[in-house]
Amino acid sequence: MRKVQDHYFKKARNEGYPARSVYKLKEAQEKFRILRKGDRVLDLGCHPGSWTMYAAQVAGPGGVVVGIDIHATRIPAKAAGAEIKIIRGDINDPDLRPRIVVTDFDVVLSDMAPKTTGNRLVDERRSLDLVDCALLVVEDLLVNGGVFYCKVFEGPDLKETVARIGRGFKKTRIFKPKSSRRESREVFVLATGFFRLKVETGKVWADTGM
Ligand SMILES: C[S@@+](CC[C@H](N)C(=O)[O-])C[C@H]1O[C@@H](n2cnc3c(N)ncnc32)[C@H](O)[C@@H]1O
């Protein structure tokens, strides 16, 4: 993560969030109201914890936020609101699924990003693999009517990826938050009104052997 001390970097520090990326969720929340009081939220790729912290503040007491990341994530004590559970693990690991005790999430967030190699095509492929993995999680754990907000890298496969996400939702839209650097190829897909029944896929992400 680049540590340029821009407006959002300073704002995050002043507001007590560990990363400027919090505004990529906050802007979406202010525009589309994707999180609600009492929600159960799954945050994929949660380190260093800004989205988890913000989601817990919005969901408030009675809500639950489960954050997952390869890296150990410590949420600042300042985070108030919903109950927070952090799981350290790789979303591709089949042994991770049983560790997520909450099973019906109202919202699945994914800000997961692969380690970049500098090779544009390889980085884009890895990012799309993470989206596919997040989609398997969505099929398994998102409630009907639920919301999925996911980072995707712009490239030749973007349209196809958005269409693939859209197959299980009433509505999808692409959102580029102001806080996302203009030179960054990331955009976010907001998918609302989940309706795909779990039985349709015949599989869950934990037994795909990915
Ligand atoms: C941009 S950061 C997330 C920032 C976070 N939303 C925040 O606001 O604090 C992307 C994260 O995705 C995580 N990640 C990438 N691949 C992953 C995987 N396979 N399983 C779990 N986490 C992964 C990385 O470890 C990294 O911490």
Side-chain angles (χ1 to χ4, degrees), residues 21 45-51 69-71 89-92 111-113:
S21 47
C46 68
H47 181 82
S50 299
W51 281 26
D69 204 288
I70 296 167
H71 299 295
D90 187 324
I91 201 68
N92 294 302
D111 193 23
M112 284 192 292

Side-chain angles (χ1 to χ4, degrees), residues 1 18-22 24 43-52 68-71 73 89-93 96 110-115 130 133 151 186:
M1 218 174 279
R20 70 188 293 293
S21 47
V22 67
K24 301 174 195 174
D43 181 14
L44 305 175
C46 68
H47 181 82
S50 299
W51 281 26
T52 296
I68 297 175
D69 204 288
I70 296 167
H71 299 295
T73 308
D90 187 324
I91 201 68
N92 294 302
D93 178 359
L96 185 70
S110 174
D111 193 23
M112 284 192 292
K115 254 197 190 143
L130 287 174
C133 208
K151 170 148 76 190
E186 74 181 0

Side-chain angles (χ1 to χ4, degrees), residues 8-78:
Y8 290 107
F9 178 93
K10 289 178 189 149
K11 192 169 156 68
R13 198 182 45 194
N14 290 340
E15 293 181 2
Y17 295 106
R20 70 188 293 293
S21 47
V22 67
Y23 301 107
K24 301 174 195 174
L25 176 61
K26 203 167 183 221
E27 281 183 54
Q29 173 65 11
E30 282 160 6
K31 192 157 183 176
F32 307 112
R33 209 166 164 253
I34 61 183
L35 300 161
R36 287 160 196 269
K37 290 248 163 289
D39 270 355
R40 289 151 299 174
V41 182
L42 181 60
D43 181 14
L44 305 175
C46 68
H47 181 82
S50 299
W51 281 26
T52 296
M53 217 176 136
Y54 177 69
Q57 287 161 349
V58 177
V64 179
V65 183
V66 178
I68 297 175
D69 204 288
I70 296 167
H71 299 295
T73 308
R74 200 168 292 145
I75 302 296
K78 189 172 179 274

